Amino acid sequence: MYRRETPIIVRNNYMLWMALIFLCAYGAMMVFSATSYQCAISEDYDFDSFALVKRQVMFMAMGFGGILLLQFMDYRYLKYFAVVLYLSGLLSVLLLKTKLGVSANGATRWVNIPGFGQFQVSEWVKICVIIFLAYLIDRNKQHLGSYKLTFYLWIAGAIPTVMLFKLSNDLSSSAVVLGICFIMSFISTKTEKLHIAVFVAAVALVAMYVWSIWSNMPTAEELNDMSFRVGRIAAWLDPDRYAASQGHQTLQGLYAIGRGGVFGKGLGGSIQKLGQIPEAENDMIFSVICEELGIIGALVLIYLFGYLIYQIARVMVSAPDLFGGMLSLGVFAHLTLQAIFNICVNLAILPNTGIPLPFISYGGTAVFVLLAGEMAIVFSVEHRIGEQAGKKTRRRGWKRA
């Protein structure tokens, strides 16, 4: 009697699916909790407490539909469109300075597309940069020890970083794009000493800049005449001093976290979200989670993120080629950096940067691009791993039971 040997790697990574589904369900639940009251009393939302969560779930469903379709696409075709995609990302940043640009909270992050709605440009830029850097690394894989290649990668990452910073005043997205570039170049090239030296120098410069503000802290009145960014750092260093202005959001977030304790006040039990915390459903949603679900709920969320990132790392190290591995690395770097930045901002470990929590914070286009874009690419790479495992099994032929 004979049987067919089972492939070592199953094509569909069900644990990756489960981690993603649980994260999105967690996000939808918290978006509803953070927005239901404000929507229920607002005429803008027709007094519908489900208004925003329905929109979020719709984009999530579209994103999962994109994964189901695009996971069967051969990710290697992205090589042919890498340059075009990169240029489209730069062009989308330029659109922010047109009449289509939409500003809020000191930054211009969205483009208003007639008939579609607002589109968050930085999310599109991130995926375009990931694809282009993976393409450059794969195309120059014989020169991975070259300093010239490292500088080319840095320039490719620095151009959209500077454009986002200058044209949209979006420091958080600029930092994430730069971080993605640095991690991808550090892992792929053989210029570790150069990376370490640049990293140490950058940390030293940032520390000196923060110290210059700390050593000459402005009064609350003087802060109003200073740049928005200096105000964010000053409020982070001493939020109590600027409690009525820039420090308000940081303090209210910390109050919410402290109020939640270990087990929280129960789902829907947050008081701080009722107008006290600005952007409770976006940047500060982690504080609402801590207030309602406590440290336990926050740890569950962190575990889900960690497990998803672990599954992406498995795909990265098992990728059938360098291009697939670099694409997965870019997604890994993006999700890791953005989750860490958001949580650290909510805990006042970092200055308030206005960065959302992936899959959790409210934002339709952001969650759609993450799912149908970045995660679809990861699933496509994982699909090719399964195909290769199946081919190896077929080559070994039938095995005697």
Side-chain angles (χ1 to χ4, degrees), residues 331-398:
V331 178
F332 171 91
H334 174 204
L335 293 179
T336 302
L337 287 172
Q338 197 154 316
I340 290 175
F341 284 173
N342 178 274
I343 293 172
C344 287
V345 165
N346 278 260
L347 297 175
I349 298 173
L350 290 175
N352 197 329
T353 57
I355 192 166
L357 190 57
F359 307 112
I360 306 297
S361 295
Y362 174 75
T365 54
V367 74
F368 174 75
V369 172
L370 277 174
L371 290 171
E374 295 187 21
M375 291 308 304
I377 290 174
V378 173
F379 275 96
S380 177
V381 175
E382 197 276 335
H383 186 72
R384 294 304 167 285
I385 296 172
E387 279 190 342
Q388 285 202 349
K391 289 179 181 177
K392 289 179 181 178
T393 301
R394 287 192 291 272
R395 281 198 296 268
R396 284 196 292 268
W398 295 94

Side-chain angles (χ1 to χ4, degrees), residues 91-380:
L91 178 61
S92 66
V93 180
L94 294 176
L95 290 176
L96 293 171
K97 301 306 290 184
T98 68
K99 293 181 180 179
L100 299 175
V102 179
S103 301
N105 299 323
T108 307
R109 294 187 173 96
W110 301 271
V111 169
N112 190 22
I113 302 175
F116 178 81
Q118 293 183 2
F119 183 82
Q120 192 167 354
V121 167
S122 60
E123 299 303 319
W124 177 245
V125 171
K126 290 168 191 173
I127 188 172
C128 291
V129 167
I130 289 171
I131 294 171
F132 185 63
L133 291 177
Y135 163 74
L136 287 179
I137 293 167
D138 180 72
R139 187 175 181 180
N140 298 277
K141 52 191 170 188
Q142 69 273 21
H143 304 298
L144 294 180
S146 168
Y147 286 102
K148 184 183 293 186
L149 174 60
T150 300
F151 286 124
Y152 284 157
L153 294 175
W154 286 357
I155 292 171
I159 292 173
T161 298
V162 173
M163 289 180 66
L164 280 172
F165 181 73
K166 290 293 185 181
L167 300 181
S168 73
N169 201 28
D170 188 355
L171 177 61
S172 56
S173 295
S174 302
V176 171
V177 170
L178 194 62
I180 291 170
C181 175
F182 190 85
I183 290 173
M184 290 183 71
S185 66
F186 178 74
I187 298 297
S188 62
T189 64
K190 301 174 183 178
T191 55
E192 296 88 354
K193 292 181 180 179
L194 175 63
H195 281 81
I196 294 172
V198 170
F199 179 78
V200 171
V203 171
L205 287 173
V206 171
M208 291 172 60
Y209 180 67
V210 172
W211 175 256
S212 68
I213 297 175
W214 172 255
S215 60
N216 189 25
M217 291 287 281
T219 64
E221 293 74 19
E222 292 172 340
L223 193 67
N224 295 327
D225 299 326
M226 294 185 171
S227 71
F228 183 72
R229 192 144 293 109
V230 172
R232 286 283 181 93
I233 296 175
W236 167 62
L237 292 171
D238 191 356
D240 290 313
R241 179 187 296 222
Y242 312 105
S245 56
Q246 300 263 25
H248 175 76
Q249 188 177 39
T250 299
L251 286 175
Q252 296 302 322
L254 291 175
Y255 293 157
I257 294 171
R259 186 173 180 271
V262 177
F263 299 104
K265 300 300 179 181
L267 188 63
S270 170
I271 293 177
Q272 296 299 109
K273 71 184 180 184
L274 305 178
Q276 293 297 320
I277 304 178
E279 306 295 334
E281 73 277 14
N282 291 322
D283 313 338
M284 305 302 291
I285 198 167
F286 185 76
S287 297
V288 177
I289 291 171
C290 291
E291 185 178 3
E292 295 190 350
L293 304 179
I295 296 175
I296 301 299
L299 290 177
V300 169
L301 176 63
I302 292 171
Y303 172 79
L304 288 173
F305 266 116
Y307 191 73
L308 176 66
I309 290 168
Y310 164 72
Q311 291 295 334
I312 295 172
R314 286 188 61 204
V315 173
M316 177 183 70
V317 299
S318 303
D321 56 18
L322 181 61
F323 184 60
M326 289 299 101
L327 288 173
S328 303
L329 173 61
V331 178
F332 171 91
H334 174 204
L335 293 179
T336 302
L337 287 172
Q338 197 154 316
I340 290 175
F341 284 173
N342 178 274
I343 293 172
C344 287
V345 165
N346 278 260
L347 297 175
I349 298 173
L350 290 175
N352 197 329
T353 57
I355 192 166
L357 190 57
F359 307 112
I360 306 297
S361 295
Y362 174 75
T365 54
V367 74
F368 174 75
V369 172
L370 277 174
L371 290 171
E374 295 187 21
M375 291 308 304
I377 290 174
V378 173
F379 275 96
S380 177

